[in-house]
Amino acid sequence: MAFATTTDAVSAWAEGWAVSRGAADPVPQPWGVTIDIGLPKAVTRHVLFDRYSSDEATVRKLLHADAAPGTWIKFVEPPEAVAPWLVEGWEYDTPGHLMSLELTADMSAPDVPTGYIRRSWTRAGLTHVLVLAADGSLGVRGQVAVTGRTAVVDQVETNPVHRRRGLGTLMMRTLQAYAAQQGAEDCVLGATDDGRALYSTLGWHRHSALTGVFRA
């Protein structure tokens, strides 16, 4: 297992997620971290570490009824654990899973299937990867942010037209290899239900649920 505790994993995820999304550095809080994003529908994100994610006093304080629109909170708890504390005005994001993988130095990017090309570029610790079809349309995209020994995979998306052709697996193995080549030893991500099914076949370990709520 890449991380000894869920707190280690979610802390690393928050740091790399901020790099991936071009957000501010996470600010430590007694219960986790706060990340300023600055978008109209995503102004600020609070990430609770596991020992506070089910602490009623902490959660109720963050979920106060007059929280600003665009405030997001991430819990390492399933939606049903958060539900009793939600107040009017808060909505659920898509349910997710916190997952991690140990990287090895010998990882290499797989060959691209016939009919596709792969392009990538790295800037300020963030590597973007595109796999394009012969006509230039998007097959799959993804990115990985490397923060020292840890990398965060993010924004992996396959064009529906090109699904069931192994492009998701190709992208994940490519991002894992690129992260290892940049010196990362562990990788972490927030997965959807569909993503979890794929990543599990690639050796990723699930740490916990990852539930998001936001103030609309």
Side-chain angles (χ1 to χ4, degrees):
M1 187 165 61
F3 297 93
T5 67
T6 299
T7 289
D8 292 340
V10 72
S11 177
W13 174 74
E15 182 180 4
W17 184 93
V19 173
S20 178
R21 302 300 177 94
D25 291 340
V27 177
Q29 304 287 356
W31 35 260
V33 295
T34 293
I35 303 170
D36 287 331
I37 304 167
L39 298 175
K41 295 184 178 181
V43 180
T44 301
R45 171 174 290 209
H46 305 303
V47 181
L48 275 72
F49 293 168
D50 62 325
R51 61 183 178 275
Y52 296 104
S53 225
S54 58
D55 179 73
E56 182 174 0
T58 297
V59 174
R60 288 193 181 278
K61 185 175 181 180
L62 290 172
L63 287 171
H64 55 87
D66 60 348
T71 300
W72 288 68
I73 305 175
K74 282 286 186 179
F75 303 87
V76 284
E77 294 282 352
E80 58 269 23
V82 178
W85 301 319
L86 286 186
V87 296
E88 185 177 355
W90 289 89
E91 300 180 19
Y92 282 107
D93 189 17
T94 304
H97 309 272
L98 184 68
M99 304 184 75
S100 67
L101 175 75
E102 290 186 60
L103 302 175
T104 60
D106 61 352
M107 285 181 166
S108 59
D111 293 335
V112 179
T114 301
Y116 292 93
I117 59 172
R118 179 170 50 212
R119 295 178 180 168
S120 65
W121 65 96
T122 300
R123 185 174 295 117
L126 180 62
T127 298
H128 297 263
V129 179
L130 301 178
V131 174
L132 305 177
D135 64 359
S137 63
L138 179 67
V140 62
R141 69 171 306 277
Q143 57 200 54
V144 60
V146 177
T147 56
R149 63 179 293 273
T150 300
V152 171
V153 168
D154 193 25
Q155 299 281 280
V156 175
E157 182 178 0
T158 303
N159 183 338
V161 176
H162 295 274
R163 286 177 181 165
R164 301 190 182 280
R165 301 182 186 181
L167 296 184
T169 296
L170 168 72
M171 178 56 65
M172 290 301 296
R173 288 181 170 160
T174 297
L175 294 173
Q176 292 164 196
Y178 286 3
Q181 291 165 15
Q182 293 177 58
E185 299 175 11
D186 303 312
C187 215
V188 63
L189 56 73
T192 62
D193 288 341
D194 288 343
R196 177 190 179 185
L198 170 62
Y199 307 151
S200 295
T201 67
L202 300 176
W204 287 72
H205 166 81
R206 182 183 185 273
H207 285 272
S208 69
L210 195 61
T211 298
V213 298
F214 62 96
R215 184 77 177 185

